[in-house]
Amino acid sequence: MSVDGALARVIRSAADRAERAEAEACELCAARVGTEHAHLYETGADEVRCVCRPCSVLFATDGSGEGRYRLVPRRRLRLPPVDTAVLGVPVGLVFFVPRSDGTVTAQGPSPAGAMRWEVDAAAWQRLAAEVPPLASLAPDVEALLVNSVRGLDEHWIVPVDDCFRMTALIRREWRGLSGGGRVWPAVEQFFKELTERS
């Protein structure tokens, strides 16, 4: 075996993996999906799955899929400032997800992925009574996304896949102890795109 042959195989293998990664597929039927596609939340695994349009239609109503999958909605709604200090989460970039079982989790993106805390459910209920749009969040699949980093004061109702996308973005762009020069412009761009997509 020649070195050139082995190197050529490694390069081809890397190119093949990159091509497969770029061509996302429906995780139910394996059909290719476009850049913008629907997602299903898998309740048992607490994960989001990519799906094509025909498969997403199968889960459009509550109760379909015997509760194993829930279609992630596309609603993006900017809210006036919400006093989330009452929830006891001292993080400036965080999302709150009410769960089907009545619990509420807070997740903050970090260079290692999402950090997760349990939020006092009674405190969440009091806040939802003061801010009616919060009471309309679809459990498990919608979140209150808060960005109060660097003097900002943004509050959004978003699909959970947006939150996971933001977490991945921060993990990818973070450098050093403070994030470096790329992460915060990337976060600002993320919120700018939220505004454009809402």
Side-chain angles (χ1 to χ4, degrees), residues 97-105 118-119 121:
V97 182
R99 302 293 177 173
S100 298
D101 64 3
T103 63
V104 179
T105 59
E118 290 291 323
V119 173

Side-chain angles (χ1 to χ4, degrees), residues 21-27 31-40 48-54 56 71-74 76 159 161-162 165 197:
E22 287 177 15
E24 284 190 271
C26 175
E27 294 185 57
R32 288 197 175 200
V33 295
T35 305
E36 291 291 322
H37 56 269
H39 290 102
L40 291 179
V48 173
R49 308 279 183 209
C50 299
V51 291
C52 64
R53 177 74 180 135
S56 72
L71 186 63
V72 177
R74 304 307 326 145
R76 292 177 182 91
D161 54 356
D162 279 351
R165 190 168 48 87
R197 297 171 78 183

Side-chain angles (χ1 to χ4, degrees), residues 74-95:
R74 304 307 326 145
R75 173 171 73 147
R76 292 177 182 91
L77 176 64
R78 188 166 190 170
L79 300 174
V82 177
D83 181 14
T84 56
V86 299
L87 300 176
V89 178
V91 177
L93 188 57
V94 65
F95 57 96

